[in-house]
């Protein structure tokens, strides 16, 4: 797995090689490229050229999952970074379709919050976060601190505090 940069003129440059199980790439407000691996390679957040920000090795050893009894994030997770506006946080938003949630990590890799299910498959809905997700596959940060989540047959607009602002139903799945 490699990460490639493509200029508007169509010039392709490989900026990183050997990224096993790569599922998502984004760029922070400083121009740093952030990438993630999915659960089979241990959920990992990388800063290209600088190394690992978070590596959830617990999820691969002795059958002991990471955060809250499961891997930090799983499946074909999508990533976006809060990089816009006058004071970007560079927080990392990862859609976790296996655990029906969006995980928010700091730029240093600390888990800040889980939006949606506190545990997988509907066991405990967090009282501090309002949206229920089916299979969130991608997040998109917006200038005002809110973000969009593509969630199987809908796109949800989520406020900075985690409340649903609007849900747009889709006639087809937005699976990748």
């Amino acid at each position: 797995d490699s990460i490639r940069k493509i200029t508007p003129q169509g010039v392709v440059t490989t900026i990183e090689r050997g990224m096993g199980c790569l599922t998502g790439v984004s760029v922070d407000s400083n121009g740093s490229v952030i990438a993630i691996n999915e659960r089979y390679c241990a959920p990992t957040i990388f800063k290209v050229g600088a190394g690992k920000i978070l590596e959830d090795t617990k999820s691969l050893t002795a059958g002991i999952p990471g955060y809250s009894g499961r891997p930090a994030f799983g499946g074909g997770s999508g990533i976006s970074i809060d990089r816009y506006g006058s004071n970007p946080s560079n927080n990392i938003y990862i859609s976790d379709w296996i655990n029906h949630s969006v995980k928010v990590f700091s730029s240093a890799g600390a888990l800040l919050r889980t939006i949606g299910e506190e545990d997988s498959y509907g066991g405990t809905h967090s009282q501090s976060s309002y949206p229920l997700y089916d299979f969130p596959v991608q997040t998109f940060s917006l200038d005002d601190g809110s973000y969009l989540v593509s969630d199987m047959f809908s796109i949800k607009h989520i406020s900075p505090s985690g409340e649903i602002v609007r849900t747009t139903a889709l006639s087809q799945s937005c699976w990748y």
Side-chain angles (χ1 to χ4, degrees), residues 78-106:
I79 180 177
S80 67
I81 298 175
D82 181 8
R83 59 174 277 170
Y84 300 105
S86 59
N87 190 20
S89 69
N90 286 320
N91 286 338
I92 301 165
Y93 290 75
I94 298 176
S95 56
D96 185 356
W97 64 268
I98 285 182
N99 292 304
H100 307 279
S101 62
V102 172
K103 305 284 179 29
V104 183
F105 292 87
S106 72

Side-chain angles (χ1 to χ4, degrees), residues 137-138 149-155 170 172-176:
V137 294
Q138 187 56 271
V149 177
S150 62
D151 187 22
M152 198 54 122
F153 285 94
S154 69
I155 296 178
L170 304 173
Q172 293 187 19
S173 167
C174 51
W175 193 259
Y176 296 99

Side-chain angles (χ1 to χ4, degrees), residues 107-121:
S107 59
L111 179 64
L112 300 176
R113 67 191 284 209
T114 297
I115 303 168
E117 296 300 326
E118 291 287 329
D119 56 4
S120 62
Y121 300 103

Side-chain angles (χ1 to χ4, degrees), residues 10-85:
V11 177
V12 179
T13 307
T14 299
I15 61 171
E16 188 74 33
R17 293 183 189 276
M19 306 282 294
C21 303
L22 184 67
T23 62
V25 177
S26 194
V27 178
D28 71 13
S29 66
N30 301 313
S32 297
V33 177
I34 308 296
I36 59 173
N37 279 349
E38 54 98 16
R39 66 189 169 124
Y40 295 109
C41 290
T44 307
I45 303 171
F46 296 92
K47 184 181 226 179
V48 173
K52 297 172 185 173
I53 296 172
L54 167 95
E55 182 178 28
D56 184 7
T57 56
K58 291 181 190 176
S59 64
L60 291 182
T61 59
I64 302 170
Y67 296 102
S68 302
R70 67 191 174 285
F73 49 88
S77 305
I79 180 177
S80 67
I81 298 175
D82 181 8
R83 59 174 277 170
Y84 300 105

